[in-house]
Amino acid sequence: MKIAIYPGTFDPITNGHLDIIERATQLFDKVIVTVAVNSSKTPMFTGEERVDMIQAIIKQKRFSNVSVEQFNGLLVSFATKRNATAIIRGLRAISDFEYEFQMALMNRKQSNKIDTVFLMPAEKYTYLNSSIVREIARLDGKFKDFVHPVVYRVLKKKLSL
Ligand code: COA
């Protein structure tokens, strides 16, 4: 069974992330979306809130081979514990490359049994990231097209819009 983990902060998950998850489900038997709770970022949503949103979306989209978990600590250790052989990362533009390249090689140094697989989201999502969605939402701009309705509702509620 080919298992992949898809790590990120997902603060919140966007349609760009969902596009990557959908592609990964075609390539792997099981995809574990792993929500990083110990990152250097200061998230708007708690780990539980991020996991709950992803869980609700997985259910609605009927992704039968996708699960979601929070993780703390070293990514490669988590992947090893879950018997994953791949780490999925999205590549949106050349600007992502340097950081992703460094991370992939560093992860390989930690374990050469786990490879990083880069997937490209649909072009319409290449400009998207979670901070820009949060900012547009905070400023009461239009963000419905960038996130799943579950996230739209939770984000609106969080900001009491
Ligand atoms: N669509 C939309 N946005 C996307 C995207 C896509 N397909 N792919 C990435 N992004 C955005 C994210 O929303 C995020 O935006 P933000 O900065 O505004 O929040 C940004 O691109 C990149 O963040 P993300 O993909 O969440 O990764 P990250 O850099 O926050 O997380 C970890 C990286 C958690 C995987 C990494 O820090 C990690 O592995 N930490 C664990 C500790 C560890 O093992 N460290 C050693 C690593 S070598």
Side-chain angles (χ1 to χ4, degrees), residues 60 143 147-158:
Q60 282 197 21
F143 65 99
V147 293
H148 189 275
V150 164
V151 176
Y152 186 76
R153 271 197 305 275
V154 176
L155 193 44
K156 281 260 191 201
K157 197 169 166 204
K158 186 91 168 173

Side-chain angles (χ1 to χ4, degrees), residues 6-10 12 14-17 20 36 38-39 41 71 73-76 89-90 92 99 102-103 106-107 121 125 128-132 134:
Y6 179 38
T9 309
F10 303 111
T14 69
N15 286 341
H17 294 122
I20 297 288
N38 64 336
S39 88
K41 296 178 177 177
F71 91 100
L74 197 66
L75 185 64
V76 162
R89 294 290 292 169
R92 291 159 301 166
Y99 171 63
Q102 181 191 28
M103 213 158 61
M106 189 51 94
N107 282 331
Y125 299 131
L128 206 55
N129 63 26
S130 302
S131 344
I132 207 158
R134 290 195 308 271

Side-chain angles (χ1 to χ4, degrees), residues 4 17 24 34 41 43 57-58 66 83 107 113 118 130 141 149 156:
H17 294 122
T34 51
K41 296 178 177 177
I57 296 169
I58 291 172
V66 183
N83 295 319
N107 282 331
K113 291 191 183 135
F118 293 105
S130 302
K156 281 260 191 201

Side-chain angles (χ1 to χ4, degrees), residues 98-112:
E98 209 167 324
Y99 171 63
E100 294 297 339
F101 187 68
Q102 181 191 28
M103 213 158 61
L105 292 181
M106 189 51 94
N107 282 331
R108 182 181 283 165
K109 283 270 178 210
Q110 308 301 311
S111 166
N112 62 10

